[in-house]
């Protein structure tokens, strides 16, 4: 037997070309072909090393002489078997060799979990010669395969020709058997792998599927063929190891990358390596390689850094990109637009809009040309932060000027305007898009509808929706959800029902958000039960976001008792209320019940769920509205001792509750607030200022202190002006008004109304005209025209005086045109004497003007041209004289200024909670 082996080894190169060989084999050593793999990595059997037949693991060590001799021996024996087969069989030692080969194969092959004829090829190329030898011996001995023998041989097979021979001798149709095997689908990989580029492609495919054994085996085969793998090929094999949690093998491969390439690796090679890691989502490996590059004196470029940033972004790690950009700047690596855009996008993702805009400034300082992605990301940062929407529009104009404006930039700008409540700006941008050769898409239209939804402009939202459909953009569920939310918030139930019907007609399935929008319209228990049944019928489960709008809706329907019932229903349906549920319930109680109910409900809720500051602030607001200052202070003490910690709103509310008790108590709460480390804001000082209205000197002193601390706004001066007027300090009030004008602060219509009334009471017509002119300049009032007098935003007394001035000016310049007087029916408070229509009509009657009486619902009156006579002019001069002004306006109720001041307060703070 030994003699036969010696002859076989000596004749290997000759006999290797004889006999029936597998198709495509062109040499005796490792005929590497396209690898086959299992349907999934879970089916890959593990082959444990066994004796001399198992070579050292690829790249984990080096092949020694014994291992190489083993491989040569197996190949030589295979060649000799093919030679024996040509002699017609019957050679005894061939049968003995076949039996021995089967024993070795059975000792190293895995147990087969599935039938042998469907077993996929998963072996590595270091075991392939054993399977090849077995098939050669079976052919030479004319012995068929047993089922287990074929399966074990396939399990060790690692090359295409050997697999072909095994299938053929096993009596299987190879074309059908191919269907049971998943192969790399890329073109150009069929047949032999001859070039390094082809190896790189196959290793890349294997890396995608975490087949690290096969990837490493191919690297080893390239060494046998005296091929030098590309650096990217090494990286792909390392990626396969990392994916299979073989970190040590991956580290060895990356170490070989620097030493086995046979040449100096340049920055382009390293960039390709980084791309392999980045595409696989292994940004930590890419980052480690960046550090290794510097250790090997290869300076990474922007391309390498950018790919690491992209990989980290894909894995939602937003801290990497800003750090890498900073590293690039420190190492003087020229960052490009993509580098900055990645850092900006990562900053936006964590809400750090200031950093995003700072990167934009750095980009401009570095004279890097911004692209559309950069500008869109910057516009998005404006939307996220407390930035004026003018900045977003400015960036959009810059994008237009540079030719980098696209639909994403417009969509981001519309979102920014919508968030700020500037729905008209958003719609203007939408309208100009076609002129800018930029067609809006679904996301753009949804952003515009969302802008209208924020501003509760449901009619404009429907208009955008209709335009969207006319122009061929199909709305999605989000489009309908925005519309439903807009209409539901405005209590437009009929519109909501039509939208829901249209939604079902278009076969758009409602989602959780849809039902949450609709839930705010549920007014009684029966509707709520039907609504919840429909929600469940759609395969959805009601959650806390479904019930919370129902609770809020009780403020307009059933009241606080029904809201408590909804909270009980949540518990019955195993929906745990959150803190928003409790806060909404307390809001309903505050608006529909007394402060006593609010505090009782609060005591019941705080045992179930710890309250937050907003919870207690609602209770404080209820006490402040009822002037229950003692209870408000008690709640504040509870917050200070037991929590939750009070915030600036808490202290502002308590100061508001003490507003009628003089400045001392309010100042005491302010001092207590500062001791607790809570910084007061302008609302705090305004509330203290209103508490000291009876002491005008103290008001001016506090106002001066507020100006030094830059804590003043329009409301601050409105409070001070009202205090001075109430204390008959009219000269000081007008002096303060001049000061406000110098500071460029615009007063509200209510402040102008009570200040003008104050000077009219003392007959100062010139001052009244001056104040009206200032209000017109600041667009608070509307300037009178030859044919039109608009009395919008004016109180009754001020409208009367303004009408007299308009009639006087018209009488001095006769015209054939009639004069239309608009008093804006419905725009004024009809529950008080401060209505404009009665003032206008009574003055027309007194002056015997020729007018057409207006209808009940008409908002204007026409004064005929024939009314302007010399007699009218004389009468007007009399009515505008100082004595007559004193007589008429001085006889008005003294409470008018207070009512006008309250109008100014509501215009400035929007609600009583802001104080």
């Amino acid at each position: 037997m030994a003699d036969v082996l010696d002859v076989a080894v000596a004749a290997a190169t000759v006999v290797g070309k004889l006999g029936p060989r597998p198709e495509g084999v062109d040499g005796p050593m490792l005929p590497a072909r396209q690898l086959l793999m299992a349907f999934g990595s879970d089916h890959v059997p593990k082959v444990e090393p066994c004796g001399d037949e198992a070579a050292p693991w690829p790249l984990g060590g080096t092949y020694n002489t014994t291992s190489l001799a083993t491989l040569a021996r197996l190949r030589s024996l295979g060649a000799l078997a093919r030679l024996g087969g040509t002699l017609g069989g019957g050679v005894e030692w061939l049968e003995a060799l076949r039996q021995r080969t089967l024993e070795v194969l059975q000792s190293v092959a895995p147990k087969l979990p599935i039938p042998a004829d469907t077993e996929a090829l998963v072996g590595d190329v270091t075991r392939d010669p054993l399977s090849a030898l077995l098939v050669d011996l079976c052919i030479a001995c004319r012995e068929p395969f047993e089922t287990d023998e074929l399966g074990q041989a396939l399990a060790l097979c690692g090359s295409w020709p050997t697999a072909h021979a095994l299938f053929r001798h096993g009596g299987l149709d190879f074309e059908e058997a191919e269907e049971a095997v998943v192969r790399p689908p890329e073109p150009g990989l069929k047949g032999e792998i001859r070039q390094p580029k082809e190896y790189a492609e196959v290793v890349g495919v294997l890396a995608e599927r975490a087949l690290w054994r096969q990837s490493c085996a191919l690297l080893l085969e390239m060494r046998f063929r005296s091929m030098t793998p590309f650096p990217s090929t090494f990286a792909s094999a390392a990626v396969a190891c990392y994916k299979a949690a073989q970190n040590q093998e991956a580290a060895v491969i990356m170490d070989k990358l620097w030493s086995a390439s046979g040449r100096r690796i340049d920055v382009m090679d390293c960039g390709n390596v980084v791309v392999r890691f980045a595409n696989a989502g292994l940004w930590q490996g890419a980052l480690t390689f960046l550090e290794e590059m510097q250790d090997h004196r290869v300076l990474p470029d922007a391309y390498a850094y950018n790919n690491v940033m992209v990989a980290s972004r894909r894995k939602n790690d937003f801290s990497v990109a800003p750090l890498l950009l900073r590293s690039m700047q420190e190492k003087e690596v020229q960052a490009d637009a993509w580098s900055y855009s990645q850092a900006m996008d990562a900053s936006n993702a964590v809400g750090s809009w200031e950093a995003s805009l700072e990167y934009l400034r750095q980009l401009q300082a570095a004279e890097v040309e911004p692209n559309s992605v950069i500008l869109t990301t910057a516009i998005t940062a404006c939307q996220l932060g407390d930035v004026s929407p003018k900045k977003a529009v400015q960036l959009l104009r810059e994008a237009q000027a540079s030719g980098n404006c696209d639909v994403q930039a417009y969509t981001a700008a519309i979102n920014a305007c919508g968030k700020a409540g500037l729905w008209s700006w958003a719609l203007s941008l939408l309208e100009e898009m076609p002129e800018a050769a930029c067609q809006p898409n679904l996301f753009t239209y949804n952003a515009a509808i969302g802008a209208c939804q924020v501003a509760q402009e449901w009619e404009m939202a429907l208009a955008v929706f209709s335009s969207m459909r006319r122009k061929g953009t199909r709305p999605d569920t989000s489009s309908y959800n925005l519309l439903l939310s807009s209409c539901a918030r405005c209590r437009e139930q009929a519109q909501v029902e039509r939208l829901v019907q249209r939604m079902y007609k278009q076969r758009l399935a409602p989602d959780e958000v849809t039902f949450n929008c609709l839930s705010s319209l549920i007014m009684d228990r029966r509707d709520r039960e039907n609504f919840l049944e429909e929600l469940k019928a759609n395969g959805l489960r009601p959650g806390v976001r479904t019930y919370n709008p129902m609770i809020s809706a009780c403020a307009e329907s059933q009241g606080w008792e029904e809201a408590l019932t909804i909270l009980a229903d949540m518990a019955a349906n195993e929906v745990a209320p959150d803190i928003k549920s409790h806060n909404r319930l307390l809001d309903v109680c505050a608006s529909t019940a007394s402060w006593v109910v609010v505090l009782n409900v609060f005591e019941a809720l705080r045992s179930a769920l710890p309250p937050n500051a907003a919870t207690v602030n609602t209770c404080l607001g209820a006490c402040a509205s009822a002037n229950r200052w003692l209870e408000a202070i008690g709640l504040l003490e509870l917050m200070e001792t037991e929590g939750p910690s009070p915030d600036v709103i808490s202290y502002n509310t308590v100061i508001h509750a003490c507003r009628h008790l003089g400045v001392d108590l309010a100042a005491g709460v302010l001092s207590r607030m500062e001791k607790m480390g809570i910084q007061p804001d302008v609302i705090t000082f305004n509330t203290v200022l209103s508490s000291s209205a009876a002491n005008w000197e103290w008001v001016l002193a506090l106002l001066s202190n507020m100006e030094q601390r830059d804590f003043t706004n329009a409301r601050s001066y409105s409070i001070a002006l009202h205090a001075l007027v109430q204390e008959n300090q009219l000269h000081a009030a007008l002096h303060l008004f001049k000061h406000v004008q110098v500071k460029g602060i615009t007063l509200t219509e209510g402040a102008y109304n009570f200040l003008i009334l104050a000077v009219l009471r003392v007959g100062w017509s010139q001052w009244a005209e001056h104040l009206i002119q200032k209000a017109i300049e600041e667009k608070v009032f509307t300037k009178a025209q030859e044919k039109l007098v608009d009395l919008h935003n004016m109180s009754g007394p001020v409208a009367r005086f303004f009408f007299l001035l308009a009639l006087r000016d018209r009488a001095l310049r006769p015209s054939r045109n009639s004069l239309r007087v608009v008093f804006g029916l419905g725009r004024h408070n009809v529950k008080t004497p401060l209505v404009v229509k009665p003032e206008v009509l009574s003055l027309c009657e007194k002056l015997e003007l020729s007018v057409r009486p207006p209808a009940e619902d008409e908002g204007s009156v026409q004064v005929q041209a024939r009314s302007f006579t010399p007699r009218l002019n004389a009468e007007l001069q009399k009515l505008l004289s100082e004595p007559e002004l004193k007589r008429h306006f001085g006889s008005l109720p003294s409470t008018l200024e207070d009512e006008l001041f309250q109008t100014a307060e509501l215009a400035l703070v929007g609600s009583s909670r802001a104080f």
Side-chain angles (χ1 to χ4, degrees), residues 215 231 293 307 337 362 402 499 663-664 676 684 741 746 811 871:
S215 299
M293 288 175 63
N307 277 284
Q362 293 177 10
S402 62
L499 286 171
V663 68
D664 293 337
M676 292 292 293
T684 311
Q741 294 294 302
T746 300
R871 185 194 63 80

Side-chain angles (χ1 to χ4, degrees), residues 343-478:
M344 293 171 66
D345 183 62
S347 299
N348 284 350
V350 295
S352 182
W353 57 271
E354 302 97 332
S356 183
L357 294 179
E358 176 60 28
Y359 291 135
L360 177 64
R361 288 188 285 269
Q362 293 177 10
L363 175 141
Q364 295 169 339
E367 298 182 353
V368 176
E369 185 69 24
N371 55 27
S372 60
V373 177
I374 290 276
L375 295 172
T376 301
T377 308
I379 294 172
T380 303
C382 297
Q383 171 197 344
L384 295 173
D386 188 18
V387 181
S388 170
K390 292 182 179 179
K391 177 65 175 177
V393 176
Q394 177 187 347
L395 290 171
L396 180 66
R397 301 308 178 205
E398 292 178 8
Q400 291 174 326
S402 62
N404 291 317
C405 189
D406 57 12
V407 64
Q408 285 80 15
Y410 266 105
T411 303
I414 291 172
N415 272 322
C417 295
K419 180 188 175 185
L422 300 176
W423 61 272
S424 58
W425 287 27
L427 298 190
S428 297
L429 293 176
L430 180 66
E431 291 175 0
E432 73 178 45
M433 289 182 68
E435 298 178 2
C438 187
Q439 294 301 320
N441 58 20
L442 174 64
F443 300 102
T444 313
Y445 281 113
N446 284 352
I449 296 173
C452 299
Q453 182 254 350
V454 170
Q456 298 188 28
E457 293 286 343
W458 65 272
E459 292 173 313
M460 297 308 301
L462 284 174
V464 174
F465 180 77
S466 300
S467 174
M468 169 187 183
R469 299 182 65 209
R470 283 197 307 270
K471 294 180 180 179
T473 302
R474 179 180 173 82
D476 63 356
T477 302
S478 296

Side-chain angles (χ1 to χ4, degrees), residues 334-348:
Q334 180 63 47
D336 58 14
W338 190 246
S339 311
Y340 284 101
S341 69
Q342 289 298 312
M344 293 171 66
D345 183 62
S347 299
N348 284 350

Side-chain angles (χ1 to χ4, degrees), residues 855-902:
E856 184 65 27
D857 58 347
E858 193 172 353
S860 65
V861 66
Q862 295 280 353
V863 179
Q864 302 298 322
R866 62 177 179 269
S867 301
F868 298 97
T869 62
R871 185 194 63 80
L872 175 63
N873 191 19
E875 186 67 21
L876 291 173
Q877 294 296 331
K878 178 182 177 182
L879 292 176
L880 290 171
S881 64
E882 181 176 339
E884 186 61 24
L885 291 176
K886 287 182 178 180
R887 186 196 65 78
H888 176 78
F889 290 101
S891 63
L892 296 177
S894 59
T895 58
L896 278 180
E897 282 86 353
D898 290 336
E899 293 171 352
L900 291 171
F901 174 68
Q902 293 300 324

Side-chain angles (χ1 to χ4, degrees), residues 175-256:
E175 298 301 325
E176 294 180 0
E178 270 190 300
E179 298 177 0
V181 180
V182 180
R183 288 181 295 159
E186 285 73 15
L189 298 182
K190 296 181 179 179
E192 291 193 40
I193 308 174
R194 299 177 180 273
Q195 302 298 327
K197 180 179 179 181
E198 296 171 349
Y199 274 99
E201 293 180 10
V202 176
V203 173
V205 173
L206 295 173
E208 291 178 3
R209 301 165 187 179
L211 296 173
W212 67 285
R213 297 178 185 273
Q214 291 86 337
S215 299
C216 295
L218 280 185
L219 283 183
L220 176 63
E221 183 173 325
M222 293 183 73
R223 291 182 59 192
F224 282 142
R225 288 190 164 191
S226 300
M227 294 180 184
T228 301
F230 299 130
S232 58
T233 309
F234 280 104
S236 296
V239 166
C241 293
Y242 277 125
K243 285 187 173 181
Q246 299 295 324
N247 295 346
Q248 185 175 0
E249 292 290 339
V252 173
I253 291 175
M254 295 306 294
D255 185 59
K256 291 289 185 181

